Amino acid sequence: MSQVKVLGELAVLDDVGPPRRGRAYPAAGATSALLLPAALLLGALVLWPVLRTLHASVTTDGRWVGAEHFRAALAAPGTGAVVGRTVLWAVLVPAVVTALGYLFAVASRRSQEGGLVRLILLVPVALPLVVTGVTFRLMYDPDPTRGLATLLAARLTGRSDDNAPQLLGPGLVTVALMSAFVWAWVGLAVLVFRAALDRLPPSLADAVRAYGGGRRHVLWDAQWRPLLLRTVAVVFALVALGTSRTFDLILVMTPGSVRDDAAVLALRVWQTSGGTTTGQGAALGVVWLAAVAAGMLVAAFFVRQAWPPPRVEATPGPAPTTTPPRRLFRLLAAGGAVAWLIPLVVLVATSAHGQVNAAARGWWSAPPGTGSYAALLGGGELWRALGFTLLLATVVTASVLVVALLAAYPLAWLTGPAAQATGLLLMAATVVPVQVIAGPVNEVLGVVLSSGTARGLALVHVALGVPFAVLVLRNAFADLPAEQVRGARLGGRRWWGTLHRLARHNLPAVIAVSVLEFVQVWNDLAVGLLFSGPEATPLGLFLAGQSRGFVSNSGVLAAGSVLASVLPVVLMVLARRQLVAGLVSGGVR
């Protein structure tokens, strides 16, 4: 936009049309200032720690040792099994989540009970993985008098209570962990598939039927080839990347005696190096980084596709016909939703018993009471953890949103190789496992602040949250119609006015970033475990500490898990429509 004199009068020339879209961002000096906070955070707390880990993997006290640490780490007892389980997680779990997510999305469309089914499936998505671990450990308790799943497995296999299957034993613990992860992630897959299915033009199915096609042809020609193939790839890739963050679940759900039998790279790196940078730990971290980077490239390839397609404007004419799912599918979806409620019922029912009853027998065989809640709320430790986590999540969310908006504004108008390279860098920074860079990050915090403080913990959360937020907001800004960009440019006298108007046009994306960042910080365990100190005890770390004496603390732990889950569940349920709309906006970039 420029101002010139025309016949002695000041005129405003609009130069933000589609051919000159790039003129919608601020000048070079302002652009550098806008990108500076994000660049400093990512450079100091993500990029440099990754390089430091790479350096530590091939050196010892500054001396080059080549692949020595890699050979020693991979030759250590159990490492081969750990790598194999990591690969199994990355292949089997995404396949199950993708298949169930698609089936639930199809079976719950255009039916009266469909909304309730999707709402039930959404609740586990919002739960902290610590709470998911507590819930399924209660279900899989090896004593049939306490573990509902163990009791049912004994009855189905015809075994006595003394010889009941050990679902958390060495042979089945990985399967049990995977079942908990699938339970927690299917709801997200359902939301993505539902958004994709809703964007399919019904006229495609009508055209296939008009040429004599049946249900199989409609599925293949009107759904699978236009969109679902790419959506399946996106969901599979994202869940595969998500399986690299099973640390919280394994740490809480597995008894100490079988933890090595369930370990994956997420846990082994922490066991090897903890919050420091060692040779073998760094080598395992590099192996993990390489695997995650490969998965990220696959995800990036499919995310770059046109997913989801833009909405087609409605045209006058007869409404296209739609066929609701068969009654059998709707009943199966309703039955699946009921099954998804069982773990939640177990958690709430266990919390509604006193400490002694919850530890001694199953929730179905003891009268309910409020003893566990009274014992938990009577102490000050929970209140301190709740207050600190609420403050931490609020400050981090506000900081991430401000930094991401400033950076996304100038990055949104990049095109060609520059835009693709920026997207890849942001995705890479998003998926860097925090355990891999824990040692170098603590070194940075020791220089600029001090490690183990609340400020340092908040700074790490901000640095880890900024890449994803910038990626979502950048895509959302870039997806705005030229008319809205023109209006924002003409209405804003300075770049901050333009940015404010663009953010208002992208309110779903802003809400999605805010809710997801708040829930991520609220639900966290790994970052708190690696970077918190005596003055900074987040809620996830408090719950994990209670799980050390799991049986004796089961009632109090269940009560704490219920209280810790209320706020994230409410936020996710209230913002579910904005989450979907915000995350899929700009999906073509």
Side-chain angles (χ1 to χ4, degrees), residues 37-66:
L40 288 176
L41 283 169
L42 297 182
L45 295 177
V46 178
L47 178 60
W48 186 87
V50 168
L51 297 177
R52 175 73 177 85
T53 300
L54 291 171
H55 178 265
S57 69
V58 294
T59 60
T60 298
D61 297 328
R63 179 175 53 86
W64 175 268
V65 296

Side-chain angles (χ1 to χ4, degrees), residues 199-211 222 312 315 318-322:
R199 300 226 174 172
L200 281 171
S203 56
L204 288 179
D206 290 344
V208 173
R209 294 190 189 97
Y211 281 93
V312 179
T315 56
T321 60
T322 56

